[in-house]
Amino acid sequence: MPQANNELINTASREDIDQWVAKYPADKKQSAVMAALRIVQDQNGGWLTTELMDAVADYLDMDKIHVYEVATFYSMYEHKPVGKHKICVCTNISCMVCGSGEIVGHLEDKLDIKMGETTEDNRFTLKEVECLGACSGAPMMQIGENYYENLDAEKIDTILDGLK
Amino acid sequence: MANEVCFRTLHLDKPWTLESYLSVGGYQSLKKILTEKIPAEDIIEQVKTSALRGRGGAGFPTGLKWSFMPRQSEGQKYIVCNSDEGEPGTCKDRDILRYNPHQLIEGMAIAGYCIGADTGYNYIRGEFWEPYSRFDNALKEAREAGYLGDKLFGSDFNFDAHSHLGGGAYICGEETALLESIEGKKGQPRFKPPFPAGFGLYGKPTTINNTETLASIPVIVEKGGQWFLEHGKPNNGGTKLFSVSGNVKRPGNYEIDMGTPFSELLEMCGGMKDGYKLKAVIPGGSSSPVIPGEQMMDVTMDYDSIQAAGSMLGSGAVIILDDNVCMVNALARLSHFYQEESCGQCTPCREGTGWISHIMHRIEHGHGKQEDIDLLDKVAGDIMGRTICALGEAASMPVKGFLKHYRDEFQYHIDHKKCMVGPGSK
């Protein structure tokens, strides 16, 4: 069976992955698979391809199937292209009773897409997510690494206008 | 009194820095233990006296849990911190990581000393980038200052800790799923026994504690188990972080004494918002059965009082619902959550959460059948006790609670194809 070419993982990503590998016992490189998938996903503009998952398997000496299992089990890995900015909106109970329905409505109207879709210019993807653990700041959303809390329509406009 | 334990740095400028933590006596508990060579048994005894119970939701006595570890036996052991905060309503561990990460590190080190572990991992949910960055920076600061590493404070004790980032899965808050996840696998819970104290991370003896639990330890060591206990009441020791969310004027994390009346907590939060009345409270995260507001006004915020009212203190996530909230909508949303988050390993949970969500969806959208309410109750009951982990119970208990107290709203939805209260009733 031919090995995937792990040169798909660029130098910066490899250095980053190596730092994670170093946290675990020497014979437990597999522990770094979640970090590795996140890192190559970021490298690839926010989503994973089969080739990238295979490259991770190769890099960490794992069976491909075990990498696929992890990549499909956790919700933060994407398996099709996403926009430059992935907007994750919480609609769970605390956000719901604080108006996440209106937040979703405003985002869908403003971007002219539905939840789960990406704008034509590939700038924004809307994603409904489960509780993100910022319930006292409800309603909230996450874009990239940042949380935005106590949202209303006006605040969303300001946030989106401020994104490059 | 408030903010005396996990939030004791909160009033400071940049409370997350080592400098801030040292200014409130940080790392002095660890230093005292190691320089005075206090036996681990004595520390565990103090933790038992404090009546500290697991703050992640299960409420298991922490000192007892530590005493299960084969401390004297040779070989690798681990302390693992569970910062995979994801129970809807819960947002307290995020603030410990953001505002007082060093106290958690010190707590992990003390726990490591007590159970004989030289390595710790803190499992932080993947979405918590800012909390992770704060914690990771704190690890660096602690290493550079000599609070982590070899021969700490001139003793024979070595300890280092690392963070592990999750990838988005509620189930990883379950301790054995969390261990699987650190090992680089799907987060599916393990059968117990063997328990982690015998067979944990990489098959080695492991203790898993919640963030708030571990962050409470340095203060318990400093001030004594009795001091902590007296902040609560017997069997319900200490202060506790309550994450208040929902329809109140000032939602937030409040660190208060266990046993504080709910009515006082509600007052601290400024009372109800927008002129609505208190309808119901989910007192301990989304898995805990809902309690009607009137009944809740007589409850105190501790394990025993909330249990007597028919629910659980859980993670201390208090979700406040006003009289504009339709309980059918609320349960439908929670049911969707549990369906999404079931790991799929056990059939009763995988299929049952799907059916509950499916039935709730049709009731919510006006397609409910007369027999649906009894069917919901049956499906929920059939999941309970038939799964490897507690997610099955977590999905079923809200169904039981909502039906017990608000059955009329479900019946109304089926009869009239709309909500009995709130915007959907028009």
Side-chain angles (χ1 to χ4, degrees), chain B residues 154-331:
Chain B
S155 71
D156 291 335
F157 180 61
N158 307 329
F159 187 80
D160 201 0
H162 310 278
S163 43
H164 181 99
L165 267 176
Y170 167 71
I171 191 59
C172 290
E174 197 280 339
E175 61 179 13
T176 60
L178 185 151
L179 296 179
E180 290 285 299
S181 188
I182 296 182
E183 293 181 6
K185 302 170 191 163
K186 292 184 287 183
Q188 292 192 317
R190 299 174 181 171
F191 277 106
K192 290 192 272 193
F195 291 94
F199 187 93
L201 181 63
Y202 308 125
K204 307 295 183 192
T206 302
T207 292
I208 302 114
N209 289 127
N210 168 257
T211 314
E212 183 186 353
T213 309
L214 288 168
S216 301
I217 296 295
V219 178
I220 292 173
V221 172
E222 180 192 326
K223 300 188 174 173
Q226 192 62 30
W227 176 90
F228 190 76
L229 174 66
E230 284 166 8
H231 271 273
K233 53 191 214 188
N235 198 37
N236 299 268
T239 57
K240 170 89 189 79
L241 288 172
F242 290 99
S243 303
V244 184
S245 66
N247 307 124
V248 287
K249 284 187 186 141
R250 288 192 299 274
N253 284 312
Y254 293 84
E255 184 168 54
I256 56 174
D257 290 354
M258 293 268 266
T260 302
F262 168 74
S263 55
E264 278 182 33
L265 179 58
L266 184 59
E267 215 168 288
M268 286 175 213
C269 301
M272 301 301 292
K273 204 166 60 176
D274 302 333
Y276 290 105
K277 291 196 179 70
L278 176 66
K279 175 175 185 170
V281 178
I282 301 175
S286 65
S287 309
S288 63
V290 64
I291 301 180
E294 291 160 24
Q295 191 185 349
M296 197 65 200
M297 293 304 276
D298 296 327
V299 167
T300 57
M301 300 307 292
D302 55 82
Y303 295 100
D304 295 341
S305 178
I306 295 178
Q307 192 175 355
S311 190
M312 305 184 312
L313 180 96
S315 57
V318 184
I319 306 168
I320 312 270
L321 306 177
D322 68 24
D323 56 358
N324 200 38
V325 172
C326 165
M327 297 314 235
V328 174
N329 295 159
L331 183 60

Side-chain angles (χ1 to χ4, degrees), chain A residues 20 23-24 30-31 33-34 70 73-76 91-92 94 97 130-136 142 145 147 149, chain B residues 89 91 94 121 125 127-129 132 163-164 166-168 181-182 184-185 187 202 245 247 252 333 336-337 341:
Chain A
W20 283 89
K23 294 183 179 194
Y24 310 101
Q30 182 174 345
S31 284
V33 66
M34 292 173 69
V70 169
F73 185 85
Y74 297 94
S75 65
M76 292 174 74
T91 59
N92 211 306
S94 299
V97 301
E130 294 302 340
C131 183
L132 292 181
C135 315
S136 57
Q142 177 171 28
E145 293 168 355
Y147 275 26
E149 301 175 51
Chain B
C91 52
R94 174 179 177 232
Y121 289 101
R125 65 176 296 173
E127 296 90 342
F128 275 180
W129 193 264
Y132 154 74
S163 43
H164 181 99
S181 188
I182 296 182
K185 302 170 191 163
Y202 308 125
S245 66
N247 307 124
R333 184 62 188 84
H336 175 72
F337 168 73
E341 301 297 338

Side-chain angles (χ1 to χ4, degrees), chain B residues 411-423:
Chain B
Q411 189 61 53
Y412 189 95
H413 241 278
I414 291 170
D415 293 341
H416 299 87
K417 305 184 189 308
K418 61 177 184 175
C419 308
M420 193 161 96
V421 298

Side-chain angles (χ1 to χ4, degrees), chain B residues 5-272:
Chain B
V5 181
C6 296
F7 276 0
R8 65 175 167 159
T9 57
L10 205 58
H11 62 287
L12 300 170
D13 182 40
K14 295 190 178 173
W16 54 85
T17 61
L18 179 59
E19 191 186 350
S20 292
Y21 188 53
L22 294 176
S23 77
V24 298
Y27 291 107
Q28 292 305 305
S29 294
L30 181 63
K31 182 180 176 183
K32 184 175 180 210
I33 291 168
L34 295 177
T35 54
E36 295 179 15
K37 301 187 181 358
I38 301 175
E41 292 85 348
D42 293 7
I43 308 295
I44 293 174
E45 212 44 54
Q46 284 296 318
V47 175
K48 283 182 178 171
T49 302
S50 76
L52 174 66
R53 291 167 61 173
R55 300 298 198 226
F60 193 83
T62 305
L64 187 61
K65 193 184 230 183
W66 288 5
S67 68
F68 293 154
M69 284 290 281
R71 197 169 49 79
Q72 307 291 5
S73 69
E74 292 289 308
Q76 183 69 54
K77 295 180 260 317
Y78 293 106
I79 176 78
V80 171
C81 176
N82 184 345
S83 296
D84 190 44
E85 184 166 60
E87 171 85 2
T90 319
C91 52
K92 64 189 178 67
D93 298 336
R94 174 179 177 232
D95 279 0
I96 293 173
L97 295 169
R98 289 199 298 169
Y99 300 126
N100 201 3
H102 280 287
Q103 191 161 317
L104 174 58
I105 294 169
E106 186 179 9
M108 288 178 73
I110 295 170
Y113 174 81
C114 289
I115 65 170
D118 67 0
T119 305
Y121 289 101
N122 184 16
Y123 189 103
I124 302 172
R125 65 176 296 173
E127 296 90 342
F128 275 180
W129 193 264
E130 183 196 25
Y132 154 74
S133 302
R134 288 262 172 89
F135 182 78
D136 230 41
N137 277 330
L139 286 177
K140 285 192 195 89
E141 281 185 315
R143 279 188 203 114
E144 283 162 16
Y147 299 126
L148 288 175
D150 289 346
K151 302 203 178 300
L152 296 176
F153 298 102
S155 71
D156 291 335
F157 180 61
N158 307 329
F159 187 80
D160 201 0
H162 310 278
S163 43
H164 181 99
L165 267 176
Y170 167 71
I171 191 59
C172 290
E174 197 280 339
E175 61 179 13
T176 60
L178 185 151
L179 296 179
E180 290 285 299
S181 188
I182 296 182
E183 293 181 6
K185 302 170 191 163
K186 292 184 287 183
Q188 292 192 317
R190 299 174 181 171
F191 277 106
K192 290 192 272 193
F195 291 94
F199 187 93
L201 181 63
Y202 308 125
K204 307 295 183 192
T206 302
T207 292
I208 302 114
N209 289 127
N210 168 257
T211 314
E212 183 186 353
T213 309
L214 288 168
S216 301
I217 296 295
V219 178
I220 292 173
V221 172
E222 180 192 326
K223 300 188 174 173
Q226 192 62 30
W227 176 90
F228 190 76
L229 174 66
E230 284 166 8
H231 271 273
K233 53 191 214 188
N235 198 37
N236 299 268
T239 57
K240 170 89 189 79
L241 288 172
F242 290 99
S243 303
V244 184
S245 66
N247 307 124
V248 287
K249 284 187 186 141
R250 288 192 299 274
N253 284 312
Y254 293 84
E255 184 168 54
I256 56 174
D257 290 354
M258 293 268 266
T260 302
F262 168 74
S263 55
E264 278 182 33
L265 179 58
L266 184 59
E267 215 168 288
M268 286 175 213
C269 301
M272 301 301 292

